[in-house]
């Protein structure tokens, strides 16, 4: 994956991470955005780095390329485990995902 234009609609750089403790292994994220997400041999989803390698460290993040923003957001919205978190890099505020709604910063 070539990571280019890693910004949200408002010009902010965004990153995504998966909470594997909540991951149900359904693979919806990998169906929506296979360039960003992949299921590992353990049956859980992980984000992929710019070199296409799985980032398996707890809380590992990867930047969200602008062309894939809608796919990543749809993954977060449709995830049955509510384990996908998309946040701004600048202040680490979650804008899509389970914590975004609680914080009142969720954007549709």
């Amino acid at each position: 994956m070539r990571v280019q234009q890693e910004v949200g609609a408002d010009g902010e750089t965004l990153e995504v991470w998966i909470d594997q403790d909540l991951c149900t292994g359904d693979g919806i994220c990998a169906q929506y955005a296979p360039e960003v997400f992949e299921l590992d041999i353990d049956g859980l989803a992980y984000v992929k780095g710019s070199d296409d390698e799985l980032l398996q460290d707890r809380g590992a993040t990867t930047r969200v390329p602008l062309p894939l923003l809608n796919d990543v957001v749809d993954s977060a919205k449709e995830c049955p485990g509510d384990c996908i978190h998309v946040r701004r890099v600048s202040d680490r505020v979650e804008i899509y995902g389970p914590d975004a709604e609680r914080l009142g910063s969720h954007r549709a």
Side-chain angles (χ1 to χ4, degrees), residues 25-72:
D26 287 88
I28 292 172
C29 56
Q31 292 175 5
Y32 275 105
E35 303 88 349
V36 177
F37 306 106
E38 185 174 321
L39 291 177
D40 196 18
I41 193 168
D42 63 5
L44 301 177
Y46 294 87
V47 295
K48 296 174 13 176
S50 59
D51 57 359
D52 213 33
E53 291 295 317
L54 289 185
L55 303 177
Q56 295 176 302
D57 291 337
R58 189 174 211 57
T61 64
T62 195
R63 301 289 171 99
V64 178
L66 182 58
L68 300 175
L69 177 60
N70 287 336
D71 294 335
V72 170

Side-chain angles (χ1 to χ4, degrees), residues 6-8 12-18 36-37 47 59-65 69 72-73 76 84-96:
E6 301 156 335
V7 296
E12 288 276 348
T13 303
L14 301 177
E15 63 187 2
V16 61
W17 67 281
I18 295 176
V36 177
F37 306 106
V47 295
T61 64
T62 195
R63 301 289 171 99
V64 178
L69 177 60
V72 170
V73 169
I84 300 173
H85 304 265
V86 181
R87 64 186 177 200
R88 292 188 299 253
V89 171
S90 62
D91 58 9
R92 298 174 61 96
V93 170
E94 186 165 315
I95 60 172
Y96 301 103

